[in-house]
Amino acid sequence: MKREIALGVLVVGGAVMMACAGAGDSEPMAEPAESQAAPPAEAPPENVVEVERLEDNLFVFRGGGGNSAAFITDNGVVLVDTKLAGWGQPLIDAIGELTPKPITTIINTHAHFDHVDGNVEFPATVEFVAHENTQRLMRENNPVRGLATEPRPSPFDGPDANGIPERTFTDTLTLGSDADRVELHYFGRSHTGGDAWVLFPALRVVHAGDAFPNKMVPIIDSNNGGSGVDYPQTLKKASDTITEVDRVITGHGPVMTRQDLSDYAAFVAGFVSDAQAAKAAGTSAADFIAGWEPSGPYAEYTKGPAERLAVYAQDIYDATP
Ligand SMILES: [Zn+2]
């Protein structure tokens, strides 16, 4: 606990020092009062990751996209997800504060830009690992359903680009052994068609990626293999299979419990079955979403933008006989 606090202060202290250095470059005495109050225009953006210690050898990093996790093994660091472009180096710096060991392995939970674009900032000695569909989807660069209609400029397009996973798996893959063991599981289509669940058995922790993003209606990216109709059974399979865990690292939210995962599976199942009932009743997808709210035990969950959800509801309609 003391170490966590110290790290927090360290990160904040670094940010303050950077801000002060920027301010020192200006000449406040010569400036009119209005511009003294404004932040210096030349200040660079500060990509500072926030560090949360789960164990002495397991850390979660927040900021700049999805939640990353670093597992420090005897042989080196296994990193899960690399955040947005420009956040790979800050991750490298933050991990360097925790251990002198090299980053040997990067696992990408899925192909979305806010989990993989930092890959290109890591050295070519790193082994990149992902589900076989994620490898393909990273190459295809399809826009995220409901968020964009055009593909982003891919950091993996250039001839020398580094960071497309070369090691892939279909159902399960085990890395390392004993206390250093990492298990990758694929339970089926949900958020995308290649969502890896990354289990640290010795620590009873799993990283769920965006299959369990937070207490919210998920993004269901049918452009990249995601499926609303399959989502509930995939979450149920994950919840039923990964029983030996106490903590679940979510894609974008706080660390949660196994009970939260099982609740989330029921929440998503409810959303999908409500959509299917609305279709059967002849309600349009837009009208269904306009009248739907998380309720009962899920009242605290976030609904998200109606326009985006109507797209996902329509996908569920189209996939339901
Ligand atoms: Zn995602």
Side-chain angles (χ1 to χ4, degrees):
M1 194 61 193
K2 275 179 183 167
R3 190 170 177 189
E4 181 183 344
I5 290 165
L7 284 167
V9 169
L10 187 73
V11 170
V12 171
V16 169
M17 280 174 67
M18 284 176 71
C20 290
D25 293 339
S26 64
E27 297 172 336
M29 295 306 286
E31 297 291 323
E34 296 92 307
S35 58
Q36 280 185 47
E42 70 274 17
E46 293 170 17
N47 294 351
V48 179
V49 296
E50 214 181 287
V51 184
E52 179 182 357
R53 176 193 166 281
L54 298 193
E55 298 286 347
D56 283 342
N57 59 343
L58 184 65
F59 298 84
V60 174
F61 304 95
R62 301 178 187 285
N67 291 332
S68 296
F71 182 47
I72 303 173
T73 75
D74 274 352
N75 296 324
V77 178
V78 177
L79 176 64
V80 181
D81 285 348
T82 60
K83 303 185 178 293
L84 295 163
W87 286 80
Q89 188 60 49
L91 270 174
I92 293 169
D93 295 344
I95 291 166
E97 298 281 339
L98 302 169
T99 176
K101 292 178 180 176
I103 299 165
T104 53
T105 307
I106 289 177
I107 298 166
N108 289 126
T109 58
H110 63 293
H112 284 160
F113 60 95
D114 54 334
H115 298 257
V116 306
D117 279 6
N119 280 16
V120 298
E121 296 163 49
F122 289 81
T125 50
V126 170
E127 180 173 56
F128 292 90
V129 185
H131 188 264
E132 59 188 4
N133 292 340
T134 289
Q135 179 198 55
R136 174 176 55 79
L137 293 165
M138 284 173 72
R139 292 198 177 112
E140 289 181 3
N141 191 28
N142 307 304
V144 180
R145 179 77 165 158
L147 294 191
T149 51
E150 295 295 324
R152 80 197 190 290
S154 171
F156 307 110
D157 272 351
D160 302 324
N162 173 48
I164 296 269
E166 62 274 8
R167 185 170 184 185
T168 63
F169 74 103
T170 304
D171 295 318
T172 62
L173 175 68
T174 299
L175 307 174
S177 59
D178 302 322
D180 288 344
R181 188 157 58 100
V182 179
E183 288 178 15
L184 288 76
H185 294 266
Y186 177 70
F187 294 117
R189 302 169 68 191
S190 55
H191 174 67
T192 70
D195 302 296
W197 295 67
V198 185
L199 181 59
F200 308 101
L203 303 179
R204 298 179 61 88
V205 176
V206 66
H207 193 318
D210 281 358
F212 183 9
N214 203 344
K215 292 183 177 180
M216 58 181 283
V217 179
I219 285 172
I220 308 170
D221 184 4
S222 58
N223 290 350
N224 287 288
S227 165
V229 170
D230 286 4
Y231 214 130
Q233 68 203 46
T234 299
L235 284 178
K236 184 170 189 314
K237 192 173 173 191
S239 178
D240 289 350
T241 306
I242 303 175
T243 54
E244 302 297 308
V245 301
D246 306 311
R247 286 175 288 185
V248 181
I249 300 169
T250 58
H252 290 265
V255 175
M256 300 206 194
T257 65
R258 190 166 167 271
Q259 182 63 49
D260 290 325
L261 171 59
S262 137
D263 291 347
Y264 190 66
F267 168 72
V268 174
F271 173 73
V272 174
S273 67
D274 287 352
Q276 291 173 324
K279 182 197 177 182
T283 309
S284 75
D287 285 350
F288 160 63
I289 290 300
W292 186 89
E293 289 293 337
S295 61
Y298 313 110
E300 62 170 325
Y301 285 42
T302 306
K303 178 179 174 182
E307 199 175 299
R308 188 172 88 198
L309 263 62
V311 171
Y312 303 152
Q314 187 62 53
D315 284 346
I316 293 168
Y317 280 28
D318 294 344
T320 301

